[in-house]
Amino acid sequence: MTPGTRPGTTPVTLLVIAKEPRPGRVKTRLTPPFTPEEAAGLAEAALADTLDAVARTPARRRVLVLDGAPGPWLPDGVEVVPQCAGGLDERLAAAFAGCDGPALLIGMDTPQVTPELLTVDFADCDAYFGPAEDGGFWALGLADPDPGLLRGVPMSTPDTGAAQRRRLARLRVRELPLLRDVDTAYDAAVVAGAAPGGRFAARLARLTAARR
């Protein structure tokens, strides 16, 4: 049995889909008020917090599905696989296609996640769905990681979450809590307030103090 799992449960693969935090490629909606370099720093802190929560969550595998190259923010015990080409729906579908058992996928935009939120049990359900406040979703879990459940879902729209949820209509779905993604400076402040002890909150506090 995988260390940290409960008897009778199936160990889960935890997937994180992310971009390398490079200026001009990540968190562009944070500029302004932040510079591209500052926005990339916030993205790196968010990714580090996310991966730390994943590293502390019982799992069969921990996999970073990455667009770019890993950096010093990558913790031990996390595999890195490259993202495939195509739209976000294709990239998410491919991430699930690489799993041979239950999997839970999250992004790098919710640094407030905790091991408690990421510890899921598929014993009595087929899927987990974590809605985001912007109309998307921050988490998707599948007991049977069928990539066809994601292909063709319109991504990055106010209706993305609803469209993805409809794909799960025939499955037994457990809802995860509603979370806020970090897209704008306002989002960043709210998320930092929800997780004041993290790297993201500390980085935001330093940037904010420097502007006073």
Side-chain angles (χ1 to χ4, degrees), residues 78-123:
V78 177
E79 304 170 42
V80 178
V81 299
Q83 289 185 27
C84 74
L88 181 56
D89 63 316
E90 291 289 345
R91 287 179 277 139
L92 296 180
F96 276 108
C99 302
D100 58 359
L104 179 72
L105 180 144
I106 63 173
M108 62 184 286
D109 300 329
T110 50
Q112 70 272 45
V113 294
T114 63
E116 291 74 24
L117 282 173
L118 301 180
T119 301
V120 295
D121 183 358
F122 287 95

Side-chain angles (χ1 to χ4, degrees), residues 3-200:
T5 59
R6 298 186 299 276
T9 65
T10 301
V12 173
T13 295
L14 294 176
L15 302 165
V16 179
I17 188 159
K19 290 182 179 180
E20 179 188 355
R22 292 172 55 191
R25 296 190 70 247
V26 291
K27 296 296 161 209
T28 55
R29 291 175 62 188
L30 291 177
T31 57
F34 301 105
T35 68
E37 291 74 20
E38 290 170 338
L42 287 168
E44 179 177 330
L47 180 54
D49 280 344
T50 301
L51 291 174
D52 178 68
V54 167
R56 292 184 291 114
T57 304
R60 177 187 182 190
R61 296 170 60 203
R62 300 171 183 88
V63 182
L64 175 63
V65 187
L66 183 63
D67 176 2
W73 36 262
L74 181 70
D76 293 338
V78 177
E79 304 170 42
V80 178
V81 299
Q83 289 185 27
C84 74
L88 181 56
D89 63 316
E90 291 289 345
R91 287 179 277 139
L92 296 180
F96 276 108
C99 302
D100 58 359
L104 179 72
L105 180 144
I106 63 173
M108 62 184 286
D109 300 329
T110 50
Q112 70 272 45
V113 294
T114 63
E116 291 74 24
L117 282 173
L118 301 180
T119 301
V120 295
D121 183 358
F122 287 95
D124 297 311
C125 72
D126 305 309
Y128 279 83
F129 185 77
E133 290 193 12
D134 63 1
F137 59 93
W138 67 270
L140 179 64
L142 297 173
D144 178 11
D146 176 6
L149 291 171
L150 292 106
R151 291 193 181 107
V153 173
M155 296 289 167
S156 303
T157 77
D159 299 319
T160 293
Q164 184 61 69
R165 189 65 177 79
R166 286 193 294 271
R167 289 291 186 93
L168 310 177
R170 296 184 179 182
L171 304 179
R172 297 170 299 168
V173 181
R174 285 183 183 161
E175 298 286 336
L176 292 168
L178 179 73
L179 293 186
R180 178 183 290 271
D181 287 336
V182 175
D183 290 319
T184 66
Y186 176 78
D187 295 332
V190 173
V191 169
R199 298 172 182 83
F200 181 81

